Amino acid sequence: MKVIVTVNGRPVAAEVADRTLLVHFVRDVANLTATNVGCDTTSCGACTVLLDGKSVKSCTVLAAQADGCEVTTVEGLADGTGEMHPVQAAFHAEHGLQCGFCTPGMVMAAVSMLAENPSPTEEEVRSALEGNLCRCTGYHNIVRAVLAAAPALRERRPA
Ligand code: FES
Ligand code: FES
């Protein structure tokens, strides 16, 4: 079937098999390979992207279900001027990553949660990210990064 998905603001059209997963569409059709496949079974969150602004595990969504939708991957966060998105900058500043495999999904889950809850508590951050697994960091710096990003993102919100 033919699908057209707007990925990071760019329409991507392709013939795909009915069973094609969104994560494979993003990686293999849109050629955006920062979104990782860690488990393929909805467990790890490495494949997290935004679908019409909400975070989803893209190994759980068919490309066909995203037809006509907007997808944002971690490559689409920075504004094109070389400035990192506040969540990316906070992960960098707070050492919120080690091997980096979980990081694109972790960042996208954080962006989604901060859009819904601009002033989260530590407990709320931990709860929101519990679907994203990290085998390296022990999570402390990730949580610190998300909390550090919150004020910067609040400043960017329209009054
Ligand atoms: S690859 Fe999608 S949740 Fe692990
Ligand atoms: S930084 Fe290695 S899995 Fe999270």
Side-chain angles (χ1 to χ4, degrees):
M1 64 177 296
K2 181 168 185 182
V3 298
I4 303 177
V5 184
T6 301
V7 185
N8 298 337
R10 179 174 65 97
V12 180
E15 285 287 336
V16 298
D18 292 353
R19 66 178 184 279
T20 300
L21 299 174
L22 179 58
V23 67
H24 294 135
F25 185 89
V26 165
R27 289 179 57 85
D28 303 334
V29 179
N31 292 316
L32 295 167
T33 54
T35 302
N36 287 321
V37 181
C39 66
D40 231 351
T41 56
T42 324
S43 300
C44 73
C47 63
T48 304
V49 301
L50 304 186
L51 179 62
D52 285 343
K54 302 277 185 199
S55 68
V56 295
K57 293 179 177 178
S58 59
C59 73
T60 309
V61 178
L62 295 169
Q65 291 174 290
D67 185 30
C69 296
E70 304 240 354
V71 168
T72 306
T73 72
V74 75
E75 292 99 329
L77 284 186
D79 62 8
T81 65
E83 285 285 305
M84 285 189 284
H85 183 279
V87 173
Q88 293 173 305
F91 269 68
H92 180 251
E94 300 292 334
H95 306 287
L97 63 144
Q98 288 182 23
C99 80
F101 192 83
C102 72
T103 309
M106 201 66 88
V107 166
M108 299 314 287
V111 167
S112 178
M113 82 88 55
L114 288 170
E116 287 180 19
N117 181 0
S119 303
T121 63
E122 177 177 339
E123 199 178 0
E124 287 169 336
V125 172
R126 288 185 183 276
S127 171
L129 296 184
E130 67 187 6
N132 290 73
L133 304 182
C134 176
R135 63 186 175 181
C136 303
T137 65
Y139 300 99
H140 296 297
N141 289 0
I142 291 172
V143 173
R144 219 177 355 244
V146 178
L147 290 170
L153 275 177
R154 286 199 300 271
E155 277 175 26
R156 286 170 36 140
R157 290 165 81 94

